[in-house]
């Protein structure tokens, strides 16, 4: 028996933790041919890792689902197209584990464009500060920056990356397209790569509605500014649906620039919306919702 390397055991364990106890016990029976009886999740995981001939063999098991591998890669900073088949995800995972260096830039490699800029900090958080002005300015900057990563536009990509996020930034992505799917990510690197995948890999364009019914913003006494915006999502000439996005922004005392603390992104596909929603997407979040998030 060849078995798993120490690194493979550690990384495979991360994927196994995403499995239900029922599936873990079933997988344990399969790997050991029902020769070992276990009672707990930990016993099942240890046994599976000990009796697996190779990492590839383990990942190919029927009980190790495609979505679990996809989510693992995302958490490791590797953004893959959501439509990737399981064998493609396995191949990328094994490449990641065999690499001696951190997987920078696959596929989220980004390069600075000549026109990149930071969000203007001319607006100060003083009694005259208007969070809506900041919100509109921020959205113009953010969506221009993110959309520039889409290769179908033929533009030079601007300076996208984790430097625009706080180290403990969080992303919550809820998609209602042929069902409902929730993804959650934490950490500047992982969050920036997942958002990058929307435009670079999935080739989406996010068009914000910066009119009054599509944009809201408010600030807390502690310096957190919440910005909510609605808009449409496109691929090439097709409108795929609408989105609502909430940003939590905090100004950095080091460089006086606003950085992203949190993002809640809600996507609805064409089958869940009306023509009126697409022509003028409006926010369903109100000021009370944003106030709750501020607190």
């Amino acid at each position: 028996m060849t078995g798993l390397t120490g690194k493979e055991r550690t990384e495979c364990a991360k994927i196994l933790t995403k499995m239900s106890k029922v599936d873990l016990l079933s997988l344990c029976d399969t790997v050991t041919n029902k020769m070992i009886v276990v009672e707990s999740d930990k016993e099942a995981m240890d046994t599976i890792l000990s009796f697996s001939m190779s990492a590839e063999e383990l990942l190919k098991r029927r009980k190790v689902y495609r979505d679990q591998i996809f989510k693992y890669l995302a958490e490791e900073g590797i953004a893959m197209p959501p439509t990737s088949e399981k064998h493609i995800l396995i191949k990328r995972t094994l490449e990641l584990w065999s690499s001696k260096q951190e997987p920078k830039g696959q596929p989220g490699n980004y390069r600075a464009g000549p026109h990149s800029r930071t969000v203007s900090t001319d607006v100060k958080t003083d009694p005259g500060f208007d969070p809506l002005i900041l919100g509109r300015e921020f959205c113009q900057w953010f969506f221009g920056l993110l959309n520039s990563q889409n290769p179908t536009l033929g533009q030079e990509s601007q300076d996208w990356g984790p430097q625009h996020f706080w180290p403990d930034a969080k992303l919550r992505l809820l998609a209602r397209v042929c069902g409902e799917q929730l993804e959650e990510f934490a950490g500047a690197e992982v969050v920036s790569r997942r958002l990058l995948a929307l435009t670079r890999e999935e080739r989406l364009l996010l068009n914000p509605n910066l009119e009054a019914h599509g944009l809201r913003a408010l600030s807390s006494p502690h310096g957190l500014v919440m910005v909510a915006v609605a808009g449409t999502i496109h691929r090439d000439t097709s409108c795929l649906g609408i989105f609502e996005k909430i940003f939590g922004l905090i100004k950095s005392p080091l460089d006086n620039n606003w950085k992203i603390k949190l993002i809640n992104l809600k996507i609805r596909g064409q089958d869940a919306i009306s023509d009126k929603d697409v022509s003028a997407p409006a926010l369903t979040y109100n000021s009370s919702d944003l106030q709750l998030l501020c607190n």
Side-chain angles (χ1 to χ4, degrees), residues 81-95:
T83 55
S84 299
E85 296 182 2
K86 183 180 176 181
H87 71 93
I88 297 296
L89 298 176
I90 291 175
K91 181 175 182 291
R92 186 66 189 91
T93 301
L94 296 175
E95 289 174 353

Side-chain angles (χ1 to χ4, degrees), residues 12 15-16 19 23 27 48 57-69 86 90:
C12 281
I15 296 176
L16 294 181
M19 298 174 62
D23 284 343
L27 180 57
I48 291 167
E57 176 204 60
L58 175 55
L59 294 178
K60 285 183 176 180
R61 295 288 188 183
R62 185 170 58 88
K63 290 294 184 180
V64 180
Y65 300 128
R66 170 203 167 279
D67 289 352
Q68 294 160 354
I69 303 174
K86 183 180 176 181
I90 291 175

Side-chain angles (χ1 to χ4, degrees), residues 67-121:
D67 289 352
Q68 294 160 354
I69 303 174
F70 177 87
K71 187 170 183 180
Y72 164 80
L73 286 171
E75 290 172 350
E76 294 299 311
I78 304 298
M80 298 290 288
T83 55
S84 299
E85 296 182 2
K86 183 180 176 181
H87 71 93
I88 297 296
L89 298 176
I90 291 175
K91 181 175 182 291
R92 186 66 189 91
T93 301
L94 296 175
E95 289 174 353
L96 171 62
W97 294 348
S98 64
S99 175
K100 293 182 180 180
Q101 297 181 347
E102 289 297 318
K104 296 180 180 178
Q106 296 189 32
N109 192 20
Y110 41 79
R111 53 200 174 95
H115 306 298
S116 61
R117 63 183 180 89
T118 57
V119 180
S120 170
T121 53

